[in-house]
Amino acid sequence: KEELEDQIAIDGRNFKVTIKLAAKIDMRSLQNSQAEGHQQALQCFDITMRSVFRPILDKGDAVMVGKRLYFSKQPMQLNPRNSNYGKFVIFPGIFQSATICRKGIYMNNDVIYKAFCDDKTVLEYARVCLRLRDIPARLDARQVQQLREELKGLTIECKIMGSTRVASHKFTNLVAPNTTFELTSENESPRIISVADYYRQKHKYKLQFPQMPLIHVGSSSKTMYFPIELCLVPRHPVQCDIADETASSCKARKLKIISVNEIVNYGQSKE
């Protein structure tokens, strides 16, 4: 069967899920590195082997960044020099890749490290990135553009008023504090309203930073705006030089590779 359909419920809402067959891979090509399609088969094997990470991820003991798995149980504390992001932690991780040799398929596993920025409110994140002493009441045009660049590509967690839930969305843009949108409801005609007025009327909440830009999340074609004070930047990987903190001898590196392989526990995986 090349197409599967199912229904799932998330937070009381029902969603239809459709899975379609994307490709058929001939895994027999792995027997010959010169065979046509062996690279696709090798990639398929690589993806299958990464399924052993699932139990660790489900327990919350690790995070995935691309194809790499990082263990979050015993992070190394780091406050790097020349950093705009403040406090960091380093997670050790594992990178695996499959390769075809004369005697068969080999897995190349190596220990890796990545710096992660701690959770911060967007207001605190802005203060640190812009190198300000205190959280300001407003930002000038240059600061807004700089913060926009810093937030680009990040996931933003937005607090839902009247609920303990948070909604996770991709950051889209920073927009003016007086931005308006069309509010529609079952019992009223559509009307244009500002975000500040919406929160004041709907949630009886007065914005604490009314002159700060709003966070636009999700699709750029939709008007999903959140007050900056209700948004959080969750822990995420960042680029910085951690070579001095993670350097080790060949013997120590070998022991670390053995250690991360034991954590993954390839031999006992039921995936």
Side-chain angles (χ1 to χ4, degrees):
K1 193 173 181 179
E2 297 190 356
E3 184 173 320
L4 298 174
E5 291 187 356
D6 199 1
Q7 297 279 341
I8 61 172
I10 301 177
D11 294 333
R13 299 173 61 191
N14 292 322
F15 296 88
K16 179 182 176 181
V17 179
T18 302
I19 301 175
K20 295 183 179 180
L21 180 65
K24 292 183 178 180
I25 308 297
D26 185 3
M27 301 302 289
R28 292 174 297 181
S29 62
L30 290 175
Q31 297 173 356
N32 181 3
S33 61
Q34 303 303 315
E36 183 179 354
H38 87 278
Q39 283 294 346
Q40 279 188 313
L42 193 62
Q43 183 182 24
C44 182
F45 178 81
D46 222 359
I47 293 171
T48 302
M49 288 302 297
R50 286 202 294 274
S51 67
V52 301
F53 298 159
R54 178 50 53 192
I56 304 172
L57 292 168
D58 288 344
K59 290 192 295 184
D61 294 344
V63 294
M64 286 289 292
V65 178
K67 301 177 182 179
R68 296 162 171 80
L69 181 78
Y70 294 93
F71 306 104
S72 53
K73 274 295 187 181
Q74 295 180 329
M76 302 163 55
Q77 297 297 323
L78 173 67
N79 196 356
R81 304 166 300 280
N82 304 321
S83 166
N84 291 340
Y85 302 93
K87 189 178 180 182
F88 282 70
V89 291
I90 301 177
F91 290 166
I94 184 171
F95 173 75
Q96 67 175 33
S97 61
T99 184
I100 301 178
C101 300
R102 247 186 303 183
K103 293 185 179 180
I105 302 174
Y106 282 77
M107 288 299 299
N108 172 38
N109 288 0
D110 198 4
V111 62
I112 51 178
Y113 298 90
K114 190 74 175 175
F116 286 75
C117 180
D118 279 349
D119 294 350
K120 287 183 177 66
T121 65
V122 176
L123 286 171
E124 177 62 17
Y125 189 82
R127 186 194 67 78
V128 174
C129 291
L130 300 176
R131 299 189 178 186
L132 304 174
R133 178 174 297 179
D134 302 302
I135 295 173
R138 61 189 305 167
L139 300 176
D140 61 33
R142 180 188 61 81
Q143 291 172 326
V144 169
Q145 180 57 31
Q146 184 179 342
L147 181 59
R148 183 181 287 119
E149 291 298 320
E150 295 288 355
L151 293 173
K152 189 179 295 183
L154 296 184
T155 296
I156 303 294
E157 292 185 351
C158 310
K159 182 180 178 182
I160 307 299
M161 299 298 291
S163 171
T164 57
R165 291 194 310 112
V166 295
S168 295
H169 301 281
K170 280 293 184 182
F171 171 80
T172 300
N173 200 3
L174 291 176
V175 297
N178 60 350
T179 298
T180 60
F181 66 99
E182 185 178 73
L183 179 65
T184 58
S185 62
E186 294 181 1
N187 303 321
E188 297 180 9
S189 300
R191 60 191 175 101
I192 302 300
I193 189 172
S194 70
V195 174
D197 286 343
Y198 169 79
Y199 274 84
R200 179 175 54 82
Q201 296 174 20
K202 175 73 174 179
H203 300 293
K204 304 295 189 274
Y205 178 79
K206 182 179 179 181
L207 299 190
Q208 303 302 304
F209 293 84
Q211 298 303 311
M212 291 291 273
L214 303 169
I215 305 290
H216 184 190
V217 296
S219 171
S220 58
S221 63
K222 296 185 178 180
T223 55
M224 293 182 63
Y225 305 127
F226 285 88
I228 196 170
E229 64 207 62
L230 300 181
C231 297
L232 175 81
V233 179
R235 176 177 282 175
H236 61 279
V238 290
Q239 296 293 334
C240 69
D241 184 6
I242 55 175
D244 291 342
E245 288 81 6
T246 59
S248 61
S249 65
C250 292
K251 183 178 180 180
R253 189 174 187 85
K254 178 181 177 180
L255 292 175
K256 192 64 179 179
I257 293 172
I258 293 173
S259 174
V260 295
N261 282 338
E262 289 175 349
I263 295 173
V264 173
N265 205 5
Y266 286 97
Q268 298 300 318
S269 176
K270 296 180 181 180
E271 295 291 316

